[in-house]
């Protein structure tokens, strides 16, 4: 999104203060700015968004309907910044609210870019400012929060552990700021009757299919839009209101404090192979049997990879010759070879219906991940979204039976 089309943190802070106090004069006193400066900031914000945010009267300044829409978003953004500062626990005397009020959007974007680019030069190029500007923004942010956020390595400058956590939080907040204009547009032009679902790779297809059928039966004029991707990418979409919920394995990372997770069921993992694989004819399969074949696995650290490592925790593991999250790639490789892989029960149910993949008679130790729904804190579903959530819950109960 073009930077000039995005409200600044200062504009959002001024707007929230005026809306809360319903008075420009009192807002100017709280913000330690002149009354004309506060008024000018509101006017520029209204011009930027193309809407009237306040009704001015002799008794005060009151948010319009569009203003109330923006107010909810602004409070989430400003609250998220303050929460990020509070959890950072830097060594400064100022309160988290004061520290948060000093943070600028340029400082946030600089922190994110440095963490991703690992050098001031590359980060400056990434966000379109000079190297001197990004260094200045980075150091000001570091001094403000009272915590070391950057370090020098052999490959260049990067973020410390604290800096990386803060960068992830700030990345989500930047997504919310960029979505402000879309919020106002949606207010003037409401969405169609639809549900937008972010689905983690690999997806619980059976669960989705049941819920979609139920929703379409109840509401003929609705659409279900699905966006697949990794967790962080979908979290960005969730905070930007591009999707309503995320469906998949619950993760709740520390940097996503403003989300709510609702468990649906605990999944289980299975060793899988093509439908006519030699091991499918066995009544039981041993570790030695599994070690004879090459495996298809996701990258290290993923839940299915951890399940694989648990299987061979007391024995040498077999070769993992392919690493991928793509279910279509796994399906194709399994169907055309003797390779093995690990899938969850819901993934296996989907594949068994096609007939290309079968579960082997081997008990994978330990419980699988918890599958559930991730939502924004304070999100209130409309009639269509609420019906879809209920359909998901009913479908998940059937899977547990």
């Amino acid at each position: 999104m073009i930077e000039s089309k995005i409200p600044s943190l200062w504009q959002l802070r001024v707007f929230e203060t005026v809306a809360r106090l319903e008075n420009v004069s009192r807002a100017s006193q709280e913000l330690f700015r002149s009354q004309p400066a506060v008024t000018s900031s509101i006017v520029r914000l209204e011009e930027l968004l193309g809407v009237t945010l306040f009704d001015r009267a002799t008794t005060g300044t009151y948010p319009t309907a569009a203003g109330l829409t923006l107010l909810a978003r602004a409070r989430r953004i400003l609250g998220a910044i303050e929460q990020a500062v509070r959890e950072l626990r830097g060594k400064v005397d100022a309160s988290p609210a004061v520290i948060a009020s000093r943070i600028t959007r340029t400082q946030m974007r600089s922190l994110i870019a440095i963490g991703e680019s690992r050098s001031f030069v590359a980060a400056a190029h990434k966000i379109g400012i000079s190297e001197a500007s990004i260094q200045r923004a980075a150091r000001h942010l570091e001094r403000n929060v009272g915590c070391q956020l950057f370090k020098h390595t052999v490959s260049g400058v990067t973020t410390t552990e604290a800096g990386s956590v803060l960068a992830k939080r700030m990345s989500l907040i930047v997504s919310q700021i960029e979505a402000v204009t879309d919020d106002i547009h949606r207010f003037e032009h409401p969405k169609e009757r639809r549900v937008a679902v972010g689905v983690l790779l690999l997806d619980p297809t059976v669960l989705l299919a049941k819920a979609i059928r139920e929703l379409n039966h109840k509401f003929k004029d609705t659409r279900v839009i699905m966006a697949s991707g990794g967790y962080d990418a979908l979290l960005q979409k969730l905070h930007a209101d591009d999707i309503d919920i995320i469906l998949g394995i619950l993760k709740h990372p520390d940097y996503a404090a403003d989300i709510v997770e609702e468990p649906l069921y605990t999944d289980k993992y299975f060793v899988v192979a093509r439908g006519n694989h030699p091991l499918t004819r066995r009544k039981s399969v041993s570790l030695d049997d599994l070690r004879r074949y090459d495996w298809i696995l996701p990258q290290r650290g993923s839940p299915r990879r951890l399940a694989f490592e648990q299987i061979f925790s007391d024995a040498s593991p077999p070769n993992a010759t392919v690493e991928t999250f793509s279910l279509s790639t796994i399906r194709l490789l399994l169907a055309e070879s003797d390779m093995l892989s690990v899938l969850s029960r819901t993934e296996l149910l989907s594949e068994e219906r096609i007939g290309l993949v079968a579960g082997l008679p081997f008990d994978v130790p330990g419980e699988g991940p918890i599958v559930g729904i991730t939502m924004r804190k304070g999100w209130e579903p409309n009639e269509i979204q609420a019906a879809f959530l209920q359909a998901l819950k009913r479908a998940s109960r059937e899977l547990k039976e």
Side-chain angles (χ1 to χ4, degrees), residues 3 104-111 113-114 119-138:
E3 189 75 7
T104 67
R105 193 177 63 215
T106 298
Q107 291 173 357
M108 295 166 61
R109 295 175 66 242
S110 297
L111 171 65
I114 293 167
S119 83
F120 284 129
V121 176
H125 178 74
K126 185 181 184 73
I127 62 176
I129 63 176
S130 68
E131 183 182 353
S133 296
I134 202 169
Q135 288 194 36
R136 185 166 53 251

Side-chain angles (χ1 to χ4, degrees), residues 182-216:
D182 290 336
D183 272 356
I184 299 300
H185 178 75
R186 280 193 286 265
F187 166 76
E188 294 183 315
H189 307 283
K191 286 181 180 179
E192 300 173 72
R193 289 162 62 85
R194 71 174 203 184
V195 180
V197 186
V199 185
L200 288 171
L201 306 170
L202 306 157
D203 63 89
T205 309
V206 171
L207 186 68
L208 276 169
K210 287 177 177 289
I212 291 170
R213 283 198 302 270
E214 181 177 330
L215 185 71
N216 287 340

